[in-house]
Coordinates of all heavy atoms in Angstrom, one line a residue:
M29 N -10.8 6.1 -8.5 CA -9.7 5.4 -9.2 C -8.5 5.3 -8.4 O -8.2 6.1 -7.5 CB -9.3 6.3 -10.4 CG -10.3 6.0 -11.6 SD -10.1 4.4 -12.2 CE -11.3 4.4 -13.5
I30 N -7.8 4.2 -8.6 CA -6.5 4.0 -7.9 C -5.4 3.8 -9.0 O -5.6 2.9 -9.9 CB -6.5 2.8 -7.0 CG1 -7.7 2.9 -6.0 CG2 -5.2 2.6 -6.2 CD1 -7.7 1.8 -4.9
N31 N -4.4 4.6 -8.9 CA -3.2 4.4 -9.7 C -2.2 3.5 -9.0 O -1.8 3.9 -7.9 CB -2.5 5.7 -10.1 CG -3.4 6.5 -11.0 OD1 -3.7 6.2 -12.1 ND2 -3.8 7.7 -10.5
L32 N -2.0 2.3 -9.5 CA -1.0 1.4 -8.9 C 0.2 1.3 -9.7 O 0.1 1.0 -10.9 CB -1.7 0.0 -8.7 CG -2.9 0.0 -7.8 CD1 -3.6 -1.4 -8.0 CD2 -2.5 0.2 -6.4
K33 N 1.4 1.5 -9.1 CA 2.6 1.3 -9.8 C 3.4 0.1 -9.1 O 3.9 0.3 -8.0 CB 3.5 2.6 -9.7 CG 2.7 3.7 -10.5 CD 3.5 5.0 -10.6 CE 2.6 6.0 -11.3 NZ 3.0 7.3 -11.3
G34 N 3.3 -1.0 -9.8 CA 4.0 -2.2 -9.2 C 5.5 -2.2 -9.7 O 6.0 -1.2 -10.0
R35 N 6.1 -3.4 -9.6 CA 7.5 -3.4 -9.9 C 7.7 -3.2 -11.4 O 8.7 -2.5 -11.8 CB 8.1 -4.8 -9.5 CG 8.2 -4.9 -8.0 CD 8.6 -6.2 -7.5 NE 7.5 -7.2 -7.8 CZ 7.5 -8.5 -7.5 NH1 8.6 -9.0 -6.9 NH2 6.5 -9.2 -7.7
S36 N 6.9 -3.7 -12.3 CA 7.0 -3.3 -13.7 C 5.7 -3.0 -14.4 O 5.7 -2.4 -15.4 CB 7.7 -4.5 -14.4 OG 6.9 -5.6 -14.4
V37 N 4.6 -3.2 -13.7 CA 3.3 -3.0 -14.3 C 2.6 -1.8 -13.5 O 2.6 -1.7 -12.3 CB 2.3 -4.2 -14.1 CG1 1.0 -3.9 -14.7 CG2 3.0 -5.4 -14.8
S38 N 2.1 -0.8 -14.3 CA 1.3 0.3 -13.7 C -0.1 0.2 -14.3 O -0.2 0.0 -15.5 CB 2.0 1.6 -14.1 OG 3.2 1.7 -13.4
K39 N -1.1 0.4 -13.4 CA -2.4 0.4 -13.9 C -3.3 1.4 -13.2 O -3.1 1.6 -12.0 CB -3.0 -1.0 -13.7 CG -2.7 -2.0 -14.8 CD -3.6 -3.2 -14.6 CE -3.0 -4.3 -15.6 NZ -3.6 -5.6 -15.3
Q40 N -4.3 1.8 -13.8 CA -5.4 2.6 -13.2 C -6.6 1.7 -13.0 O -7.1 1.2 -14.0 CB -5.7 3.8 -14.0 CG -6.5 4.9 -13.3 CD -6.7 6.1 -14.1 OE1 -7.3 6.1 -15.1 NE2 -6.3 7.2 -13.6
V41 N -7.0 1.5 -11.8 CA -8.1 0.5 -11.6 C -9.2 1.2 -10.7 O -9.0 2.2 -10.1 CB -7.5 -0.7 -10.9 CG1 -6.4 -1.4 -11.7 CG2 -7.1 -0.4 -9.5
A42 N -10.3 0.5 -10.7 CA -11.4 1.0 -9.9 C -11.1 0.8 -8.4 O -10.5 -0.1 -7.9 CB -12.7 0.2 -10.2
S43 N -11.5 1.8 -7.6 CA -11.4 1.8 -6.2 C -12.3 0.7 -5.6 O -13.4 0.4 -6.1 CB -11.7 3.1 -5.6 OG -11.3 3.1 -4.2
E44 N -11.8 0.1 -4.5 CA -12.7 -0.9 -3.8 C -12.6 -0.7 -2.3 O -11.8 -1.4 -1.6 CB -12.2 -2.3 -4.2 CG -12.5 -2.7 -5.6 CD -12.4 -4.2 -5.8 OE1 -13.1 -5.0 -5.1 OE2 -11.4 -4.6 -6.5
P45 N -13.4 0.2 -1.8 CA -13.4 0.4 -0.4 C -13.6 -0.9 0.4 O -14.4 -1.8 0.0 CB -14.6 1.3 -0.1 CG -14.7 2.1 -1.4 CD -14.4 1.1 -2.5
G46 N -12.8 -1.1 1.5 CA -12.9 -2.3 2.3 C -11.7 -3.3 2.0 O -11.5 -4.2 2.8
K47 N -11.1 -3.1 0.8 CA -10.0 -4.0 0.5 C -8.7 -3.2 0.7 O -8.6 -2.0 0.7 CB -10.1 -4.4 -1.0 CG -11.3 -5.2 -1.3 CD -11.0 -6.1 -2.5 CE -12.2 -6.9 -2.9 NZ -12.6 -7.9 -2.0
T48 N -7.6 -4.0 0.8 CA -6.3 -3.4 0.9 C -5.7 -3.1 -0.4 O -6.1 -3.6 -1.5 CB -5.3 -4.3 1.7 OG1 -5.0 -5.5 0.8 CG2 -5.8 -4.8 3.0
I49 N -4.7 -2.2 -0.4 CA -4.0 -1.9 -1.6 C -3.4 -3.2 -2.3 O -3.5 -3.3 -3.5 CB -2.8 -0.9 -1.3 CG1 -3.4 0.5 -0.9 CG2 -1.9 -0.7 -2.5 CD1 -4.0 1.3 -1.9
L50 N -2.9 -4.1 -1.4 CA -2.3 -5.3 -2.0 C -3.4 -6.2 -2.6 O -3.2 -6.7 -3.7 CB -1.6 -6.1 -0.9 CG -1.0 -7.4 -1.3 CD1 0.1 -7.3 -2.4 CD2 -0.4 -8.2 -0.1
D51 N -4.6 -6.3 -2.0 CA -5.7 -7.1 -2.5 C -6.0 -6.5 -3.9 O -6.2 -7.3 -4.9 CB -7.0 -6.9 -1.7 CG -6.9 -7.6 -0.4 OD1 -6.2 -8.5 -0.2 OD2 -7.7 -7.1 0.5
I52 N -6.1 -5.2 -4.0 CA -6.5 -4.6 -5.3 C -5.5 -4.8 -6.3 O -5.8 -5.1 -7.5 CB -6.9 -3.1 -5.0 CG1 -8.1 -3.0 -4.1 CG2 -7.2 -2.4 -6.4 CD1 -8.3 -1.6 -3.5
A53 N -4.2 -4.7 -6.0 CA -3.1 -4.8 -6.9 C -3.1 -6.3 -7.5 O -3.0 -6.5 -8.7 CB -1.8 -4.5 -6.3
L54 N -3.2 -7.2 -6.6 CA -3.2 -8.6 -7.0 C -4.4 -9.0 -7.9 O -4.2 -9.7 -8.9 CB -3.1 -9.6 -5.8 CG -1.8 -9.4 -5.0 CD1 -1.8 -10.5 -3.8 CD2 -0.6 -9.6 -5.8
K55 N -5.5 -8.5 -7.5 CA -6.7 -8.8 -8.3 C -6.6 -8.2 -9.7 O -7.2 -8.8 -10.6 CB -7.9 -8.1 -7.6 CG -9.2 -8.3 -8.2 CD -10.4 -7.7 -7.5 CE -11.6 -7.7 -8.4 NZ -12.7 -6.9 -7.8
N56 N -5.9 -7.1 -9.8 CA -5.8 -6.5 -11.2 C -4.4 -6.8 -11.9 O -4.0 -6.1 -12.8 CB -5.9 -5.0 -11.0 CG -7.3 -4.6 -10.6 OD1 -8.2 -4.5 -11.5 ND2 -7.6 -4.3 -9.4
D57 N -3.8 -7.9 -11.4 CA -2.5 -8.3 -12.1 C -1.4 -7.3 -12.1 O -0.7 -7.2 -13.1 CB -2.8 -8.8 -13.5 CG -3.7 -10.1 -13.5 OD1 -3.5 -10.9 -12.6 OD2 -4.6 -10.2 -14.3
V58 N -1.3 -6.5 -11.0 CA -0.2 -5.6 -10.9 C 0.8 -6.3 -10.1 O 0.5 -6.9 -9.0 CB -0.6 -4.3 -10.2 CG1 0.6 -3.4 -10.0 CG2 -1.7 -3.5 -11.1
D59 N 2.1 -6.3 -10.5 CA 3.1 -7.2 -9.9 C 3.7 -6.4 -8.6 O 4.7 -5.9 -8.6 CB 4.2 -7.5 -10.8 CG 4.9 -6.3 -11.5 OD1 4.3 -5.2 -11.4 OD2 5.9 -6.5 -12.1
W60 N 2.9 -6.5 -7.6 CA 3.2 -5.9 -6.3 C 4.1 -6.8 -5.4 O 3.7 -8.0 -5.3 CB 1.9 -5.6 -5.6 CG 1.9 -4.4 -4.7 CD1 2.2 -4.4 -3.3 CD2 1.7 -3.1 -5.0 NE1 2.1 -3.1 -2.9 CE2 1.8 -2.3 -3.9 CE3 1.4 -2.4 -6.3 CZ2 1.7 -0.9 -3.9 CZ3 1.3 -1.1 -6.3 CH2 1.4 -0.3 -5.1
G61 N 5.1 -6.3 -4.8 CA 5.9 -7.2 -3.9 C 5.1 -7.6 -2.7 O 4.4 -6.7 -2.1
F62 N 5.2 -8.8 -2.3 CA 4.6 -9.2 -1.0 C 5.1 -10.5 -0.6 O 5.7 -11.3 -1.4 CB 3.1 -9.2 -1.1 CG 2.5 -10.4 -1.8 CD1 2.0 -11.5 -1.1 CD2 2.5 -10.4 -3.2 CE1 1.5 -12.6 -1.8 CE2 2.0 -11.5 -3.9 CZ 1.5 -12.6 -3.2
S63 N 5.0 -10.9 0.6 CA 5.3 -12.2 1.1 C 4.4 -12.6 2.2 O 3.6 -13.6 2.1 CB 6.8 -12.2 1.5 OG 7.1 -13.5 2.0
C64 N 4.5 -11.9 3.3 CA 3.8 -12.4 4.5 C 2.3 -12.1 4.5 O 1.5 -12.9 5.1 CB 4.4 -11.8 5.8 SG 4.1 -10.1 6.0
T65 N 1.9 -11.0 4.0 CA 0.5 -10.4 4.0 C 0.0 -10.2 5.5 O -1.2 -10.0 5.7 CB -0.6 -11.3 3.3 OG1 -0.8 -12.5 4.0 CG2 -0.1 -11.7 1.9
R66 N 0.9 -10.1 6.4 CA 0.6 -9.9 7.8 C 1.2 -8.7 8.4 O 1.2 -8.5 9.7 CB 0.9 -11.1 8.7 CG 0.3 -12.4 8.2 CD 1.1 -13.6 8.6 NE 1.1 -13.7 10.0 CZ 0.5 -14.7 10.7 NH1 -0.1 -15.7 10.0 NH2 0.6 -14.8 12.0
G67 N 1.9 -7.9 7.6 CA 2.5 -6.7 8.1 C 3.9 -6.8 8.8 O 4.3 -6.0 9.5
T68 N 4.6 -7.9 8.4 CA 5.9 -8.1 9.0 C 7.1 -8.0 8.0 O 8.1 -7.5 8.3 CB 6.0 -9.4 9.8 OG1 5.7 -10.5 8.9 CG2 5.1 -9.4 11.0
C69 N 6.9 -8.4 6.8 CA 8.0 -8.5 5.8 C 8.3 -7.1 5.2 O 9.4 -6.9 4.7 CB 7.8 -9.5 4.8 SG 6.6 -9.1 3.5
A70 N 7.3 -6.3 5.0 CA 7.5 -5.0 4.4 C 7.8 -5.0 2.9 O 8.1 -4.0 2.3 CB 8.5 -4.1 5.1
R71 N 7.7 -6.1 2.3 CA 7.9 -6.2 0.8 C 6.8 -5.4 0.1 O 7.0 -5.0 -1.1 CB 7.9 -7.6 0.3 CG 9.2 -8.3 0.9 CD 9.4 -9.6 0.2 NE 9.7 -9.3 -1.2 CZ 10.2 -10.2 -2.1 NH1 10.4 -11.4 -1.7 NH2 10.4 -9.9 -3.3
C72 N 5.6 -5.3 0.7 CA 4.5 -4.6 0.1 C 4.6 -3.1 0.3 O 3.6 -2.4 -0.1 CB 3.2 -5.2 0.6 SG 3.1 -4.8 2.4
R73 N 5.6 -2.6 1.0 CA 5.7 -1.2 1.3 C 5.4 -0.3 0.1 O 5.9 -0.6 -1.0 CB 7.1 -0.9 1.9 CG 7.1 0.5 2.5 CD 8.5 0.8 3.0 NE 9.4 1.2 1.9 CZ 10.3 2.1 2.0 NH1 10.5 2.9 3.1 NH2 11.1 2.3 1.0
C74 N 4.7 0.7 0.3 CA 4.5 1.6 -0.9 C 4.4 3.1 -0.4 O 4.1 3.3 0.8 CB 3.2 1.2 -1.6 SG 1.7 1.1 -0.6
L75 N 4.7 3.9 -1.3 CA 4.5 5.4 -1.1 C 3.2 5.8 -1.7 O 2.9 5.6 -2.8 CB 5.7 6.1 -1.7 CG 5.7 7.6 -1.5 CD1 5.9 7.9 0.0 CD2 6.9 8.3 -2.2
I76 N 2.4 6.4 -0.8 CA 1.1 7.0 -1.3 C 1.4 8.4 -1.7 O 1.6 9.3 -0.8 CB 0.0 6.9 -0.2 CG1 -0.1 5.5 0.4 CG2 -1.3 7.4 -0.7 CD1 -0.5 4.4 -0.5
T77 N 1.4 8.7 -3.0 CA 1.7 10.0 -3.4 C 0.4 10.9 -3.6 O 0.5 12.1 -3.8 CB 2.5 10.0 -4.7 OG1 1.7 9.3 -5.7 CG2 3.8 9.3 -4.5
E78 N -0.7 10.3 -3.5 CA -2.0 11.0 -3.6 C -3.0 10.2 -2.9 O -3.1 9.0 -3.0 CB -2.4 11.0 -5.1 CG -3.7 11.7 -5.4 CD -4.2 11.4 -6.9 OE1 -3.6 10.5 -7.5 OE2 -5.1 12.0 -7.3
G79 N -3.9 10.9 -2.1 CA -5.0 10.3 -1.5 C -4.8 9.5 -0.2 O -5.5 8.6 0.1
L80 N -3.8 9.9 0.5 CA -3.5 9.3 1.8 C -4.8 9.3 2.7 O -5.0 8.3 3.4 CB -2.3 10.0 2.5 CG -1.6 9.2 3.6 CD1 -1.2 7.8 3.2 CD2 -0.5 10.0 4.1
D81 N -5.5 10.3 2.6 CA -6.7 10.5 3.4 C -7.9 9.5 2.9 O -8.9 9.5 3.6 CB -7.2 11.9 3.5 CG -7.4 12.5 2.1 OD1 -7.0 11.9 1.1 OD2 -8.0 13.6 2.1
Q82 N -7.7 8.9 1.8 CA -8.7 7.9 1.4 C -8.5 6.5 2.0 O -9.2 5.6 1.7 CB -8.7 7.7 -0.2 CG -8.7 9.0 -1.0 CD -10.1 9.7 -0.8 OE1 -11.1 9.1 -0.6 NE2 -10.0 11.1 -0.8
L83 N -7.4 6.4 2.8 CA -7.0 5.1 3.4 C -7.4 5.2 4.9 O -7.3 6.2 5.5 CB -5.5 4.8 3.2 CG -5.0 4.7 1.8 CD1 -3.5 4.6 1.8 CD2 -5.6 3.4 1.2
A84 N -7.7 4.0 5.4 CA -7.9 3.9 6.9 C -6.6 4.2 7.6 O -5.5 4.1 7.0 CB -8.5 2.5 7.2
K85 N -6.7 4.5 8.8 CA -5.5 4.8 9.6 C -4.5 3.6 9.6 O -5.0 2.5 9.6 CB -5.9 5.2 11.0 CG -6.7 6.5 11.1 CD -6.3 7.3 12.3 CE -7.0 8.6 12.4 NZ -7.2 9.3 11.1
P86 N -3.2 3.9 9.8 CA -2.2 2.8 9.9 C -2.6 1.8 11.0 O -3.1 2.2 12.0 CB -0.9 3.5 10.2 CG -1.1 4.9 9.7 CD -2.5 5.2 9.9
T87 N -2.3 0.5 10.7 CA -2.6 -0.5 11.7 C -1.5 -0.6 12.7 O -0.4 0.0 12.5 CB -2.7 -1.9 11.0 OG1 -1.5 -2.2 10.4 CG2 -3.8 -1.9 10.0
D88 N -1.7 -1.4 13.8 CA -0.6 -1.6 14.8 C 0.6 -2.2 14.1 O 1.8 -1.8 14.4 CB -1.0 -2.5 15.9 CG -2.0 -1.9 16.8 OD1 -2.2 -0.6 16.7 OD2 -2.7 -2.6 17.6
E89 N 0.4 -3.1 13.1 CA 1.5 -3.7 12.4 C 2.3 -2.6 11.6 O 3.6 -2.7 11.6 CB 1.0 -4.7 11.4 CG 0.5 -6.0 12.0 CD -0.8 -5.9 12.7 OE1 -1.5 -4.9 12.6 OE2 -1.2 -6.9 13.4
E90 N 1.7 -1.7 11.0 CA 2.4 -0.6 10.3 C 3.2 0.2 11.3 O 4.3 0.6 11.0 CB 1.4 0.2 9.5 CG 0.9 -0.5 8.3 CD -0.1 0.3 7.5 OE1 -1.3 0.4 8.0 OE2 0.2 0.9 6.5
F91 N 2.6 0.6 12.5 CA 3.3 1.3 13.5 C 4.6 0.6 13.9 O 5.6 1.1 14.2 CB 2.4 1.7 14.6 CG 1.5 2.9 14.3 CD1 0.2 2.7 14.3 CD2 2.1 4.1 14.0 CE1 -0.7 3.8 14.0 CE2 1.2 5.2 13.8 CZ -0.1 5.1 13.7
D92 N 4.4 -0.8 14.0 CA 5.6 -1.6 14.5 C 6.7 -1.7 13.4 O 7.8 -1.7 13.7 CB 5.1 -3.0 14.8 CG 4.4 -3.1 16.1 OD1 4.4 -2.1 16.9 OD2 3.8 -4.1 16.4
R93 N 6.3 -1.8 12.2 CA 7.2 -2.1 11.1 C 7.8 -0.9 10.4 O 9.0 -0.9 10.0 CB 6.5 -3.0 10.0 CG 7.4 -3.5 9.0 CD 8.4 -4.5 9.6 NE 9.3 -5.1 8.6 CZ 10.4 -4.5 8.2 NH1 10.7 -3.3 8.5 NH2 11.2 -5.1 7.3
L94 N 7.1 0.2 10.4 CA 7.6 1.4 9.7 C 8.1 2.4 10.7 O 7.5 2.5 11.8 CB 6.4 2.0 8.8 CG 5.9 1.1 7.7 CD1 4.7 1.8 7.0 CD2 7.0 0.8 6.6
E95 N 9.1 3.2 10.3 CA 9.6 4.2 11.1 C 8.5 5.4 11.1 O 7.8 5.6 10.2 CB 10.9 4.8 10.6 CG 12.0 3.8 10.5 CD 12.4 3.3 11.9 OE1 12.3 4.0 12.8 OE2 12.9 2.1 12.0
P96 N 8.5 6.1 12.2 CA 7.5 7.3 12.3 C 7.7 8.2 11.1 O 6.7 8.7 10.5 CB 7.8 8.0 13.6 CG 8.5 7.0 14.4 CD 9.2 6.0 13.5
E97 N 9.0 8.4 10.7 CA 9.2 9.3 9.5 C 8.6 8.7 8.2 O 8.2 9.5 7.4 CB 10.8 9.5 9.3 CG 11.5 10.1 10.5 CD 11.8 9.1 11.6 OE1 12.2 8.0 11.3 OE2 11.6 9.5 12.8
E98 N 8.7 7.4 8.1 CA 8.1 6.8 6.9 C 6.6 7.1 6.8 O 6.1 7.4 5.8 CB 8.4 5.3 6.8 CG 9.9 5.0 6.7 CD 10.1 3.5 6.7 OE1 10.1 2.9 7.8 OE2 10.2 2.9 5.6
L99 N 6.0 6.8 8.0 CA 4.5 7.1 8.0 C 4.2 8.5 7.7 O 3.3 8.8 6.9 CB 4.0 6.7 9.4 CG 3.9 5.2 9.6 CD1 3.6 4.9 11.1 CD2 2.7 4.5 8.8
E100 N 5.0 9.4 8.2 CA 4.8 10.8 8.0 C 5.0 11.2 6.5 O 4.3 12.0 5.9 CB 5.8 11.7 8.8 CG 5.2 12.5 9.9 CD 6.3 13.0 10.8 OE1 7.2 13.7 10.3 OE2 6.2 12.7 12.0
E101 N 5.9 10.5 5.9 CA 6.2 10.8 4.4 C 5.1 10.2 3.5 O 5.1 10.5 2.4 CB 7.6 10.2 4.0 CG 8.7 11.0 4.6 CD 10.1 10.3 4.5 OE1 10.2 9.3 3.6 OE2 11.0 10.6 5.2
G102 N 4.3 9.3 4.1 CA 3.3 8.7 3.3 C 3.5 7.3 2.9 O 2.8 6.7 2.0
F103 N 4.5 6.6 3.5 CA 4.7 5.2 3.3 C 3.7 4.4 4.0 O 3.3 4.7 5.2 CB 6.1 4.8 3.7 CG 7.2 5.2 2.7 CD1 8.0 6.3 3.0 CD2 7.4 4.4 1.6 CE1 8.9 6.7 2.0 CE2 8.4 4.8 0.7 CZ 9.1 5.9 0.9
R104 N 3.2 3.3 3.4 CA 2.2 2.4 4.1 C 2.6 1.0 3.7 O 3.4 0.8 2.7 CB 0.8 2.7 3.6 CG 0.3 4.1 3.9 CD 0.0 4.3 5.4 NE -0.9 3.3 6.0 CZ -2.2 3.5 6.1 NH1 -2.7 4.6 5.8 NH2 -3.0 2.5 6.6
L105 N 2.0 0.0 4.4 CA 2.2 -1.4 4.0 C 1.0 -1.7 3.1 O -0.2 -1.6 3.6 CB 2.3 -2.3 5.2 CG 3.6 -2.1 6.0 CD1 3.6 -3.0 7.3 CD2 4.9 -2.3 5.2
G106 N 1.2 -2.2 1.9 CA 0.1 -2.5 1.0 C -0.9 -3.5 1.6 O -2.1 -3.5 1.3
C107 N -0.4 -4.5 2.3 CA -1.2 -5.5 2.9 C -2.0 -5.1 4.1 O -2.9 -5.8 4.5 CB -0.4 -6.8 3.2 SG 0.6 -6.6 4.7
Q108 N -1.7 -3.9 4.6 CA -2.4 -3.4 5.8 C -3.3 -2.2 5.5 O -4.3 -1.9 6.2 CB -1.4 -3.0 6.8 CG -0.5 -4.1 7.3 CD -1.3 -5.1 8.0 OE1 -2.0 -4.8 9.0 NE2 -1.2 -6.4 7.6
A109 N -2.9 -1.5 4.4 CA -3.6 -0.2 4.1 C -5.0 -0.4 3.4 O -5.0 -0.8 2.3 CB -2.7 0.7 3.2
I110 N -6.0 -0.2 4.2 CA -7.4 -0.5 3.7 C -8.0 0.8 3.1 O -7.9 1.9 3.7 CB -8.3 -1.0 4.8 CG1 -7.8 -2.4 5.3 CG2 -9.7 -1.1 4.4 CD1 -8.5 -2.9 6.5
V111 N -8.5 0.6 1.9 CA -9.1 1.8 1.2 C -10.5 2.0 1.9 O -11.2 1.1 2.2 CB -9.4 1.4 -0.3 CG1 -10.2 2.5 -1.0 CG2 -8.0 1.2 -1.0
K112 N -10.7 3.3 2.3 CA -11.9 3.6 3.0 C -12.9 4.4 2.2 O -14.1 4.3 2.4 CB -11.6 4.2 4.3 CG -11.4 5.6 4.3 CD -11.2 6.2 5.7 CE -10.9 7.7 5.5 NZ -10.3 8.4 6.6
S113 N -12.5 5.1 1.2 CA -13.4 5.8 0.3 C -13.0 5.8 -1.1 O -11.9 5.4 -1.4 CB -13.7 7.2 0.9 OG -12.5 7.8 1.2
E114 N -13.8 6.3 -2.0 CA -13.6 6.1 -3.4 C -12.8 7.1 -4.1 O -12.7 7.1 -5.3 CB -15.0 6.0 -4.1 CG -15.8 4.9 -3.6 CD -16.7 4.2 -4.6 OE1 -16.9 4.8 -5.7 OE2 -17.2 3.1 -4.3
G115 N -12.2 8.1 -3.4 CA -11.5 9.1 -4.0 C -10.2 8.6 -4.7 O -9.8 7.4 -4.5
S116 N -9.5 9.5 -5.4 CA -8.3 9.0 -6.1 C -7.1 8.7 -5.1 O -6.9 9.4 -4.2 CB -7.8 10.1 -7.1 OG -8.8 10.3 -8.0
I117 N -6.4 7.7 -5.5 CA -5.2 7.3 -4.7 C -4.2 6.9 -5.7 O -4.4 6.3 -6.7 CB -5.5 6.0 -3.8 CG1 -6.6 6.3 -2.8 CG2 -4.3 5.5 -3.2 CD1 -7.1 5.0 -2.1
T118 N -2.9 7.3 -5.4 CA -1.8 6.8 -6.2 C -0.8 6.1 -5.2 O -0.4 6.7 -4.2 CB -1.1 7.9 -6.9 OG1 -2.0 8.5 -7.8 CG2 0.1 7.4 -7.7
A119 N -0.5 4.9 -5.5 CA 0.4 4.1 -4.6 C 1.5 3.5 -5.5 O 1.3 2.9 -6.5 CB -0.4 3.0 -4.0
V120 N 2.7 3.7 -5.0 CA 3.9 3.2 -5.7 C 4.6 2.2 -4.8 O 5.0 2.5 -3.7 CB 4.9 4.4 -6.0 CG1 6.1 3.9 -6.9 CG2 4.2 5.5 -6.7
N121 N 4.7 1.0 -5.3 CA 5.4 -0.1 -4.6 C 6.9 0.2 -4.4 O 7.6 0.4 -5.4 CB 5.2 -1.4 -5.3 CG 5.6 -2.7 -4.5 OD1 5.8 -3.7 -5.1 ND2 5.8 -2.6 -3.2
K122 N 7.3 0.3 -3.2 CA 8.7 0.6 -3.0 C 9.3 -0.3 -1.9 O 9.1 0.0 -0.7 CB 8.9 2.1 -2.5 CG 8.8 3.1 -3.7 CD 9.1 4.5 -3.2 CE 8.9 5.6 -4.2 NZ 9.9 5.7 -5.2
T123 N 9.8 -1.4 -2.3 CA 10.4 -2.3 -1.3 C 11.8 -1.7 -0.9 O 12.3 -0.8 -1.5 CB 10.6 -3.7 -1.8 OG1 11.3 -3.6 -3.0 CG2 9.2 -4.3 -2.1
Y124 N 12.4 -2.3 0.2 CA 13.7 -1.8 0.6 C 14.8 -2.3 -0.2 O 15.9 -1.7 -0.2 CB 13.9 -2.2 2.1 CG 13.0 -1.5 3.1 CD1 12.0 -2.2 3.7 CD2 13.2 -0.2 3.4 CE1 11.2 -1.6 4.6 CE2 12.4 0.5 4.3 CZ 11.4 -0.3 4.9 OH 10.6 0.4 5.8
F125 N 14.6 -3.4 -0.9 CA 15.7 -4.0 -1.7 C 15.1 -4.6 -3.0 O 13.9 -4.7 -3.1 CB 16.4 -5.0 -0.9 CG 15.5 -6.0 -0.2 CD1 15.0 -7.1 -0.8 CD2 15.1 -5.7 1.2 CE1 14.2 -8.0 -0.2 CE2 14.3 -6.6 1.8 CZ 13.8 -7.7 1.2
Ligands
FES474 S1 3.2 -8.5 2.6 FE1 4.5 -8.6 4.3 S2 4.2 -6.7 5.2 FE2 2.8 -6.7 3.6

């Protein structure tokens, strides 16, 4: 299960290994911030409060766009963070503005 907290909609949805957090949010009508879908705008930034180890490692785009401290705290880019296994994940959309 994945708990997604968008800008105003929160939902618990089925996990989909191989897809990104953003893909899954949009498919389930969760109002997730996004613009570029290529790892540059950071509008899809989210805090993973549970299940960080269920996601594939950060991409080069995430290392470029996010500060090391953000990655350490569990921030990821929703358009880059690929779900790798079916365990529980909680992701909260947190844009900068
Ligand atoms: S949508 Fe722009 S960084 Fe993810």
Side-chain angles (χ1 to χ4, degrees):
M29 277 294 177
I30 305 186
N31 292 299
L32 294 171
K33 297 185 182 167
R35 285 172 294 180
S36 63
V37 177
S38 292
K39 275 189 192 169
Q40 193 175 60
V41 304
S43 187
E44 287 195 66
K47 293 205 185 296
T48 66
I49 292 287
L50 178 63
D51 288 336
I52 297 169
L54 296 182
K55 181 178 166 189
N56 289 283
D57 296 322
V58 175
D59 57 348
W60 209 265
F62 75 101
S63 177
C64 70
T65 73
R66 300 155 66 112
T68 56
C69 75
R71 293 195 63 169
C72 64
R73 188 182 79 139
C74 53
L75 183 61
I76 308 298
T77 59
E78 176 195 12
L80 197 53
D81 56 348
Q82 308 295 327
L83 296 171
K85 297 221 177 316
T87 63
D88 289 347
E89 285 76 8
E90 289 179 282
F91 281 116
D92 285 349
R93 188 65 180 80
L94 297 172
E95 299 296 331
E97 299 77 43
E98 292 178 282
L99 286 165
E100 249 168 55
E101 286 165 23
F103 283 99
R104 298 291 303 265
L105 294 177
C107 70
Q108 300 293 307
I110 295 175
V111 175
K112 80 175 177 199
S113 45
E114 300 214 344
S116 297
I117 298 171
T118 299
V120 185
N121 189 196
K122 284 186 186 280
T123 53
Y124 292 107
F125 46 84

